[in-house]
Amino acid sequence: MLLDFNSEVYSWIRGALLILSIYHFLIYLNTRQKLYLHYSIYLVCFFIYFLADINAPRLKIYSYINFAIQFLGYAAYVGFVRALLKTQKHIPEWDKLLVLERVLLLVAVVVFIVVQFLFGYSAQEKLFAILVSIITVFGLLTYIVLNTIKGKHVTYFIVGSLAYLVLANISFLGPYAVGDEYFLDRGVQPMFFTYLGAIIETTMFAVIIGHQSKKSIRKNKEAEALLAIKTKEMSDLKMTALQSQMDPHFLYNSLNSINNFVLKNDIEKASDYITKFSRLIREILTNSSNLTIPLSKELGVLSLYVKLEQMRMAGGFDYVVSVDDKIDLESIEVPPLFIQPFIENAIWHGFANKKDYKRITVNIFDEDDKVRCEILDNGIGIKRSKKEKGSHKRTRKSFGLKASENRIKLLHENERVYVIIEDVSEDSTTGTKVTLKFPKAS
């Protein structure tokens, strides 16, 4: 069985090398990592070299490529070593010698073809015997140096490479030492040892590549996790920055209302307003250290704010909140005061020049994994408000709206969040509707 190169053993090894070569070349096409390209070339050189054992008598080209393909494979092997073990990083001085060796091996590919053309096959054999001895010595020295790199993968690599080196030299030098008959009489081709060395080496390399791939995947996952943490921290910082800007904006408007009561000398209303305002401030300060609060608490704070605005506005206005029975307000987290700017906008813009009945309705709907919050007022509408307000004032007032929109979007960065403001004015009615749609889970 080991005398016939067409037997299953040899055919299986050649087929395995070809499949491995194609497999790693496909990986290279997907990843563009030269490690896989070098290894693929190394394996295909093995396959072509072994293929000559069954086709050599019929192919004249064999005499030209037999040794050349081996040196091309050795050159790919050196490239594979450098990429796999990162010799440029760990042993930079020796890595320069490996680069030089690779160049010389590629030169040898051309030299051996020329030698065959000028002097014949026997000249190639003599030259190969000299060079392979030099390559073997340099290889042994390289393995000693590689041993300084820490890691089991280096040990596996050296064991696999030494196995091939020793067994390949038995195949090549054995016939010179004891003759082909010594091996043939024992039922084995001398080249069997090269086949055996190749399969041991490729098995070891497969273990190393698998280990490196697993390590790389783990590092990528760790990097992704770290990136997610840093992204979350960045989002939190942005959220805090927006919140720190929005709170003074809100407080300024509230203090301005107290000032109006004082100027009107309405001491009782001013006192009542201050009492409610102090409760609201206490809630705001309690929530100030939190990036999110339950929606139930947000509606509670919002109710306090609306009561203050109802006191401030002449004639007041109605405020109605409707919540879908399916919604658990305690489990839904939202940024503090994120609805308040939309209510404030309805009051300051929608009701500014409205003399008749005024009403704001907040409806919260359950939509599977999302919450839809609608804020509807019967104010003068967006178009009329724009005409009656100066552009500078509109820009100042829009800050709170934009900040709230950014805060809810930051909380749900990887989910779709809708913030739609539309004029719902018709022939006989006017008003503005704000629709906020965001995931239940943050």
Side-chain angles (χ1 to χ4, degrees), residues 90-358:
H90 298 292
I91 46 172
E93 295 302 321
W94 196 266
D95 180 72
K96 294 177 183 178
L97 295 178
L98 292 176
V99 173
L100 178 61
E101 181 192 21
R102 188 169 174 231
V103 172
L104 294 176
L105 288 169
L106 291 173
V107 171
V109 173
V110 179
V111 169
F112 270 78
I113 295 174
V114 173
V115 168
Q116 169 62 26
F117 183 78
L118 297 177
F119 304 105
Y121 192 76
S122 60
Q124 282 195 84
E125 287 183 314
K126 293 175 183 177
L127 180 58
F128 183 78
I130 296 171
L131 292 181
V132 79
S133 300
I134 298 173
I135 292 171
T136 299
V137 172
F138 182 76
L140 292 171
L141 292 174
T142 299
Y143 300 144
I144 294 172
V145 176
L146 289 176
N147 200 45
T148 60
I149 302 174
K150 295 181 180 180
K152 288 184 179 180
H153 65 294
V154 180
T155 303
Y156 292 149
F157 178 84
I158 293 174
V159 170
S161 297
L162 281 175
Y164 174 74
L165 186 64
V166 171
L167 292 170
N169 274 281
I170 292 174
S171 293
F172 183 75
L173 299 176
Y176 287 98
V178 297
D180 287 339
E181 292 76 12
Y182 178 84
F183 296 97
L184 297 176
D185 291 343
R186 287 162 176 76
V188 61
Q189 285 281 358
M191 276 297 295
F192 168 74
F193 297 98
T194 301
Y195 277 79
L196 180 61
I199 204 66
I200 293 173
E201 183 183 61
T202 52
T203 300
M204 287 293 188
F205 289 177
V207 172
I208 297 170
I209 292 174
H211 173 74
Q212 294 291 79
S213 297
K214 184 178 179 180
K215 187 177 179 181
S216 177
I217 291 171
R218 185 172 65 249
K219 284 185 177 180
N220 287 339
K221 287 183 177 180
E222 290 174 353
E224 288 175 2
L226 182 60
L227 179 61
I229 292 171
K230 294 301 180 183
T231 302
K232 179 65 168 58
E233 289 176 353
M234 185 66 71
S235 297
D236 289 349
L237 286 173
K238 289 179 181 178
M239 185 91 76
T240 302
L242 287 170
Q243 186 171 320
S244 66
Q245 294 176 67
M246 203 173 97
D247 288 348
H249 170 82
F250 162 72
L251 294 176
Y252 167 80
N253 290 333
S254 297
L255 290 172
N256 190 48
S257 296
I258 296 174
N259 185 55
N260 287 335
F261 286 127
V262 173
L263 290 176
K264 293 177 182 178
N265 203 29
D266 193 339
I267 304 302
E268 186 176 339
K269 277 192 174 182
S271 176
D272 188 21
Y273 194 98
I274 291 172
T275 300
K276 288 183 172 63
F277 180 68
S278 65
R279 286 177 56 199
L280 179 60
I281 292 301
R282 185 165 60 248
E283 291 293 331
I284 292 174
L285 291 176
T286 301
N287 300 328
S288 63
S289 60
N290 301 318
L291 291 175
T292 63
I293 60 173
L295 182 54
S296 59
K297 186 171 288 188
E298 168 71 2
L299 292 176
V301 174
L302 191 61
S303 177
L304 281 173
Y305 165 73
V306 169
K307 287 178 181 178
L308 291 173
E309 292 291 37
Q310 286 172 326
M311 291 178 62
R312 179 188 64 80
M313 179 165 287
F317 59 89
D318 285 342
Y319 173 70
V320 179
V321 178
S322 174
V323 180
D324 195 318
D325 292 336
K326 297 178 182 178
I327 291 182
D328 181 8
L329 296 176
E330 291 294 330
S331 65
I332 299 171
E333 294 287 321
V334 296
L337 287 176
F338 99 101
I339 298 178
Q340 179 269 333
F342 299 102
I343 300 292
E344 179 186 36
N345 194 63
I347 297 169
W348 285 69
H349 293 280
F351 298 158
N353 296 313
K354 187 176 177 66
K355 304 300 182 183
D356 53 355
Y357 175 69
K358 297 179 280 289

Side-chain angles (χ1 to χ4, degrees), residues 249-250 253 302 305 309 312-313 317 339-353 360 375 377 379-382 385-386 389 393-402 404 421-422 431-434:
H249 170 82
F250 162 72
N253 290 333
L302 191 61
Y305 165 73
E309 292 291 37
R312 179 188 64 80
M313 179 165 287
F317 59 89
I339 298 178
Q340 179 269 333
F342 299 102
I343 300 292
E344 179 186 36
N345 194 63
I347 297 169
W348 285 69
H349 293 280
F351 298 158
N353 296 313
I360 295 177
I375 303 164
D377 68 70
I380 61 176
I382 297 174
S385 176
K386 284 183 177 180
K389 299 291 183 181
K393 194 168 185 178
R394 285 202 309 272
T395 301
R396 182 182 68 82
K397 291 293 184 182
S398 67
F399 166 76
L401 302 181
K402 192 63 180 175
S404 280
I421 303 176
E422 53 188 328
T432 303
K433 183 171 78 170
V434 178

Side-chain angles (χ1 to χ4, degrees), residues 30-49:
N30 284 311
T31 63
R32 294 296 173 181
Q33 293 185 36
K34 290 186 177 180
L35 165 74
Y36 298 105
L37 177 62
H38 292 313
Y39 192 45
S40 177
I41 294 172
Y42 180 54
L43 291 170
V44 82
C45 287
F46 258 137
F47 173 73
I48 295 172
Y49 174 60

